[in-house]
Amino acid sequence: MIAYDNQTLKLRKNTDYKIVWDKGVKKVSNNFILIYIVNKKDYSRIGISSVKNYGTAVERNKIVRRIKSILYLYNFIPGKDIVLVAKKKTKNVKYQNLKDEIKVLLTKSSLINK
């Protein structure tokens, strides 16, 4: 996910995901787990994941696309690695509720500009 206006890149390497997962700060909501860590770079990197028992590949890809479309709306503060994990029960939640919940998580974690 590359958004040139707010310098947000996609977290790509499995080792980067593991570093964020092991050493990051975790925030949990009803439908998501948000984990973030400082990366000492001039940009933020975001990774999106869904739990393996979420459903078929089609269902997992659908929720990832929905999350991406929501994350494009925000300007992230530079210098963070962020992983957003969708829980299994997320597939029955409406788009607007997902949008509101992600905004609350990002705001509480001070990851976005207001």
Side-chain angles (χ1 to χ4, degrees):
M1 164 165 77
I2 297 176
Y4 294 105
D5 57 339
N6 61 2
Q7 292 300 307
T8 304
L9 303 172
K10 185 175 180 181
L11 200 61
R12 295 189 182 274
K13 295 181 183 176
N14 193 24
T15 55
D16 293 336
Y17 274 92
K18 285 185 179 185
I19 290 170
V20 173
W21 189 266
D22 292 339
K23 298 180 181 180
V25 177
K26 295 179 183 165
K27 302 282 183 178
V28 179
S29 68
N30 289 338
N31 297 304
F32 297 102
I33 301 170
L34 177 72
I35 310 158
Y36 62 94
I37 192 170
V38 176
N39 69 7
K40 298 179 183 177
K41 297 181 180 174
D42 294 336
Y43 52 87
S44 288
R45 298 184 298 175
I46 299 176
I48 303 168
S49 179
S50 60
V51 292
K52 188 68 174 178
N53 61 358
Y54 187 87
T56 65
V58 173
E59 292 169 328
R60 287 193 301 272
N61 289 336
K62 180 179 177 182
I63 191 62
V64 168
R65 285 193 313 270
R66 292 173 85 188
I67 293 169
K68 276 184 187 179
S69 71
I70 293 169
L71 292 178
Y72 276 126
L73 301 173
Y74 302 111
N75 290 324
F76 288 87
I77 295 173
K80 307 281 186 187
D81 284 344
I82 304 163
V83 174
L84 189 62
V85 181
K87 293 182 180 178
K88 187 175 183 176
K89 58 185 173 179
T90 308
K91 64 173 122 171
N92 298 326
V93 180
K94 293 186 178 184
Y95 180 83
Q96 186 61 43
N97 295 342
L98 292 177
K99 186 176 171 183
D100 295 340
E101 190 171 337
I102 289 173
K103 183 175 183 179
V104 168
L105 270 176
L106 295 174
T107 305
K108 283 185 179 179
S109 302
S110 301
L111 296 173
I112 57 173
N113 298 320
K114 294 182 181 180

